[in-house]
Amino acid sequence: MLKLARWSTTHRLYVILGWLAVIAAAGALAHTVGATYSNNFTLPGSGAQQAGNLLARSFPTQAGDRDQIVFKSTAGSVRDAAVRDRLTAMFAQVRQLPHVAAVIGPYSGAGDAISRSGRIGFATVVFDQKTGALPKPAVERVIRAARSAADSKLQIELGGSAIEATEAEGLGLSTAIGLAAAIAVLLLTFGSVVAMGLPILTALLGLGTGLSLIALFTHLVDTPSFSSELAAMVGLGVGIDYALFILTRFREAYRSPGPSEGKVRESVIEAMDTAGRAVLFAGCTVVIALLGMMLLGVTFLYGVALSAAIGVALMMLTSVTLLPALLTLAGERIARPGRRARRAQAARQAPRAHATRLPDGTPGRHPHTQTSTGRFHLGRGGSEHASVRAKAARLAAAMRRAAPIDPCRWLRWSAFVQRRPRTIAMLATAAMLVVASPAAAMRLGTSDASEGPSSFTTYQAYELLAKGFGPGFNGPLQVVAKLRHGAGVAPVRDLASAIGRSPDVASVAPLHLNETGEVATFSVYPRSSPQAAATTDLVSHLRERVIAPVARAHGMQVYVGGVTAGALDFAEVLSEKLPLFIGVVTFVSALLLLIVFRSLVIPLQGALMNLLSIGASLGVVVAIFQWGWLPELFHAQPGPVQSFIPVMLFAIVFGLSMDYEVFLVSRVHERWVRTGDPKRAVGEGLALTGRVITAAAAIMIVVFLSFMVGESRVIEEFGLALASAVFIDAVIVRSMLLPAVLDVAGAASWRLPAWLDRLLPRLNVEGSPDHVLPFDRIAAMEEELELARAGAVAQAAAPTEV
């Protein structure tokens, strides 16, 4: 880090121009080749995947996705000759389009595709490929051709996974709101437009480069459509936070005593040697946690994990290379206090200047002077408690001018926590367990089109199908059976009859045989919606109680597939592999903390507290999105939690919480090494980092919450889960639970068996010895605060003339 910081500050112009060239080249290349997002996923060995593979071999022209063209006549029946002719011509036009294998219309006599009222009907468009392989222009041509037949008396909408892929929302509004909120928090934190601008600038450059690389990356790996939104959400939050940590350390270093010549560059190097190390360590931990999702073996998550990892890695690189170069150019303006702070300082100095005049009006020496060593001593004049109060006030003012934090407030808070650490630890743990309790009832699944924006054609198609036929027609199950040679079609008819008699099945479509007569397929329409718990139970019931006996009796191999069944299999696979993923990521993160801090307590508390934070955030998601609490505020319809939310949340939050863990614990460890007093180390470490962690958490929270402005349920769930996790981690864990636990553990927090210490490698995130800030001013401040409190007591007991 020292070499990198020195090189970046010495060659700052090359660094800035280099980053501008990188983002320009990546953006131009991404604009030229475009992005190909894919929402397809494969689950080897699952029933839905085996059904898809058998269909692909036996019905190669019908193995692609099946979407619907839904229509409604507002004046008469869809069986009217004029309406029928109009729709038949449109079906013929769609059938001739590229990548369309067939169009099964309602007038072919195959199935009941017209509602009982006669006003609503649907046709099935069979594509020749799955959604991920379908070119977006081909699907858009189908949409245009279908809707061209609509008029004032005929409403036409389209639904299905291929249609949904064309309706992905952009990042504009959510990103703009997140940036505006982050700007407001940074202005409140630094009180300076220039100091606010650098974190925003570095974050935007990193975000732009990352999104361009993700767009290129989609041509190599199947990447879901929401990956760029997720990468923007996480990257924007961590990018601003990383810059904030480095910027805060730079201002501390610049305002400490020392020669002014070359101080900007030395302060930048000092900040990178301390906070820069922590940023590099925390960023790598986030990337490791994200890439850990590949252990699940689910290809659908590979693109998500790599996209988010790219976003975080780019933010980390801009923070440790571009930010030092920019700080070297604008360091003096950033280190200067803001206008509000300068006005407050002038207001504090005015009465002091008035009070230090002699009785004849001439300027005089204040009775409580400061020596050449910087230590205050009591003058002869005035009462003792007044001198103590004046000294404490002057020292506090000096501290506020010397650092961008207010340690006094956090020292008082840490003292409050340390007076009753066991009680606070138990109360904080109990509160987090209460918030996490709804997670025990979490139901994983996939939200259907009813959760989408009302302006989307997929939402309108869903509503029309549900009104005309029932909600189950929006998610048909596809049954595929492989027959014994020469068995004929009778076994499949028996199977269809058995399925049709199930109480939760609305209807069964006619079956189709392949050319060899060895494979048959038919659709099953549930009575409940695709995301309903009843549909999940129906799939399990059909597989275990209905299909299995008939298949054994006739020697068939039968699989239940389709989008709905595939989503249920996906949720089941993730539920089975989640414990392994949690165990591996927790172990690796705890091992890193063990190496860095040479402690057994720190890794243990870090792992347990992170699990509590994640559990509490999942509890919030279940309460809002699954149970439908606070509908007036969040406008969320009750439904299952997206299957991959727990996995993604665990990876992201476990990585993000390492930021605060490293930033806070490294400061506590610094104070422990210098003082040997565990209580004092906890108080001063929290005092030095409290405001920065609070500001960083506030930025992340507002950025994550800004993505709830959109209408994508997946992104809304991510935004609320991440925002609640960061809030709980910063407010409860870092401000109450962690200080209380470290206070109870005392010196044991930093003990490590000698044999283990010899085996572990050395990894320093606290900086070289030359770049440890002069924290003695914190100890002096604490001493003066004690004297001030004593003086206040004395004044209350014996009032004087002051």
Side-chain angles (χ1 to χ4, degrees), residues 322-364:
L322 178 62
L323 184 58
L326 295 174
L327 277 175
T328 309
L329 296 176
E332 291 185 359
R333 296 188 63 185
I334 291 173
R336 185 177 60 183
R339 185 177 303 174
R340 181 179 176 184
R342 293 197 299 270
R343 286 199 301 264
Q345 178 180 344
R348 288 192 300 267
Q349 291 175 344
R352 185 182 308 159
H354 176 73
T356 55
R357 290 183 177 273
L358 297 177
D360 60 358
T362 58

Side-chain angles (χ1 to χ4, degrees), residues 389-400:
R389 184 172 58 187
K391 289 192 305 179
R394 289 201 304 275
L395 183 58
M399 288 301 304
R400 284 192 293 270

Side-chain angles (χ1 to χ4, degrees), residues 124-339:
T124 301
V125 179
V126 182
F127 290 101
D128 60 358
Q129 292 176 320
K130 293 292 186 181
T131 299
L134 279 173
K136 186 177 179 180
V139 182
E140 290 174 341
R141 280 194 291 267
V142 171
I143 296 174
R144 288 194 299 269
R147 304 197 75 172
S148 65
D151 58 18
S152 59
K153 297 181 181 180
L154 182 62
Q155 179 185 359
I156 297 179
E157 308 292 346
L158 293 93
S161 58
I163 307 300
E164 287 180 358
T166 65
E167 295 179 321
E169 293 183 287
L171 302 176
L173 180 60
S174 298
T175 305
I177 294 176
L179 281 176
I183 288 172
V185 175
L186 288 172
L187 281 175
L188 291 174
T189 303
F190 290 119
S192 168
V193 175
V194 179
M196 171 275 298
L198 279 192
I200 298 296
L201 179 60
T202 55
L204 287 178
L205 285 174
L207 179 63
T209 307
L211 292 179
S212 298
L213 293 180
I214 291 171
L216 299 175
F217 187 73
T218 59
H219 294 273
L220 303 176
V221 177
D222 289 340
T223 306
S225 57
F226 63 86
S227 297
S228 58
E229 295 178 79
L230 180 63
M233 183 195 311
V234 178
L236 195 61
V238 301
I240 297 176
D241 272 13
Y242 292 164
L244 175 63
F245 291 155
I246 294 174
L247 199 58
T248 301
R249 201 67 184 247
F250 164 76
R251 297 182 92 185
E252 290 180 9
Y254 186 85
R255 295 175 183 182
S256 61
S260 58
E261 184 178 356
K263 192 168 187 179
V264 171
R265 182 172 182 269
E266 288 302 317
S267 299
V268 173
I269 294 175
E270 179 176 327
M272 298 308 301
D273 189 37
T274 51
R277 291 173 184 259
V279 165
L280 184 63
F281 176 79
C284 291
T285 305
V286 176
V287 172
I288 290 173
L290 289 170
L291 296 181
M293 287 191 294
M294 290 187 166
L295 293 171
L296 297 171
V298 180
T299 56
F300 176 77
L301 294 178
Y302 289 178
V304 181
L306 290 170
S307 298
I310 288 173
V312 173
L314 264 296
M315 292 297 183
M316 180 181 65
L317 289 176
T318 55
S319 297
V320 298
T321 56
L322 178 62
L323 184 58
L326 295 174
L327 277 175
T328 309
L329 296 176
E332 291 185 359
R333 296 188 63 185
I334 291 173
R336 185 177 60 183
R339 185 177 303 174

Side-chain angles (χ1 to χ4, degrees), residues 257 365 368-377:
R365 179 185 178 90
H368 318 302
T369 57
Q370 185 177 11
T371 65
S372 59
T373 61
R375 300 290 295 178
F376 292 99
H377 66 81

Side-chain angles (χ1 to χ4, degrees), residues 55 59 62 66 104 109-112 477-481 483 488-499 507-514 517-525 556:
L55 272 177
F59 299 90
Q62 300 185 24
R66 294 181 172 229
I104 305 173
D112 187 8
L477 307 176
Q478 198 164 16
V479 179
V480 185
L483 309 174
V489 74
V492 184
R493 295 190 188 279
D494 293 342
L495 176 64
S497 298
I499 292 176
S507 65
V508 177
L511 60 88
H512 298 275
L513 284 173
N514 69 339
E518 295 181 350
V519 177
T521 180
F522 57 90
S523 297
V524 177
Y525 296 96
M556 296 185 297

